[in-house]
Amino acid sequence: MRIGFLPVSDCAPVVYAQEAGLFDNYGLDVELHREERWGTMAQKIIEGDLDAAHAAATLPFLANLGLESDPCACVSGLVLSLQGNAVVLSRKLWEQGVGDPETLRDRIYQTWGKHTYTFAVSLRNSSQEILLRKWLTSAGMTSPSQLRVIALPANQMFPTLKLGYIDGYCASEPWPAMAVQAGLGVCLATSAELAPWHPEKVLMVRQSFAAGSAAEHERLLAALLEACTFCDEPQNAGSLSQMLAARHYVDAPAECIAAGLSSADGGPAKSNQPPPCSVFARHGANEPDDHKARWLTSNLEPLLQDSVFRSADLEHTPVLKNIFRMDVFARAKQLAPNRTQPPNPASAVLGVLV
């Protein structure tokens, strides 16, 4: 079984499941494939070069619509993580007095016609663009002429910022922490502030794979459920960051990777407040439920302006019901050891955000 992932901290469950032998425990022979771009990985899923992928949460929806790739019926039976993104501004702009969306807007108007400000996300029409647009629109910036948003591979954002080709980015860890710790960027907002508990990464497969290899698919999800539980324990953050730092995985300093994992002090893991890092299992993170799907479709609508999302009752649209598969998740959960989790506040928060 070939599974793709991108070099970001929240690939941790996939990497840990491989390194700890969890896939072997479920009778799965897995090869991990490191990819650089979401679009390339989606195309490999569609063409059958990959069987599954650690994917941006919007990617299965975009694949079904034929956006960012050829049209293909893709589904997800597991949410791998919540949150984990941050908006980073260049240190140069920070030193020029930009510290929030309002001062960025003022700076844009002051230099109108002299400089085109550019921010990057790793995938257009992703949760990162949703968060970045939310941050910008809080200061009234809604026009593409005010600020350009481009797509860059996640691991190219820090060097591109360093070279001065972009002014900031919204990205998954460890790339925000990399810029901050190097003194080249400033973190101005996080997922936890802009959209607490939002779905970030999922396990994406072709619908034909989910149906034709149902037993293997469900064992795969069961292994990843175990991995997600391990990744959410604060005491495991140190060993996980060392594991992910390897060149064939994230290829970044362990201390930067650790910034995107559960806090080592154990505080956020026990709190009902969203921590400023990825959430892998707590608070119903893994369920591909209607609340998470509705958050994605509702926030994709203004980005896409596509009639497929224009429904008075998004809970019952084919897009929502056919892509996030709670039935597959429920069967996989029966295969995994019992997991004790605290109550889930995420659904209520996501309902308000929509």
Side-chain angles (χ1 to χ4, degrees), residues 72-87:
C72 180
C74 292
V75 299
S76 177
L78 181 69
V79 176
L80 289 169
S81 64
L82 310 178
Q83 308 183 149
N85 294 311
V87 176

Side-chain angles (χ1 to χ4, degrees), residues 259-331:
L261 304 177
S262 294
S263 173
D265 63 13
K270 300 175 182 178
S271 171
N272 284 338
Q273 297 299 314
C277 58
S278 294
V279 175
F280 294 105
R282 286 165 284 138
H283 308 310
N286 303 125
E287 288 92 334
D289 56 35
D290 286 354
H291 293 285
K292 297 184 182 76
R294 191 184 308 117
W295 186 87
L296 292 165
T297 54
S298 296
N299 283 285
L300 275 173
E301 180 184 347
L303 292 180
L304 300 175
Q305 293 298 306
D306 196 299
S307 61
V308 71
F309 289 107
R310 297 189 182 281
S311 169
D313 188 3
L314 286 172
E315 286 192 49
H316 298 94
T317 60
V319 165
L320 186 148
K321 287 295 183 183
N322 292 343
I323 294 177
F324 271 18
R325 296 288 301 275
M326 275 296 292
D327 57 332
V328 175
F329 172 81
R331 291 193 294 270

Side-chain angles (χ1 to χ4, degrees), residues 29 41-43 50 57-58 60 105 141 225 238 287 295 304 341 346:
D29 183 10
M41 188 156 63
Q43 198 61 41
L50 293 173
T58 60
R105 177 200 60 204
M141 286 184 281
L225 278 168
E287 288 92 334
W295 186 87
L304 300 175
Q341 294 183 359

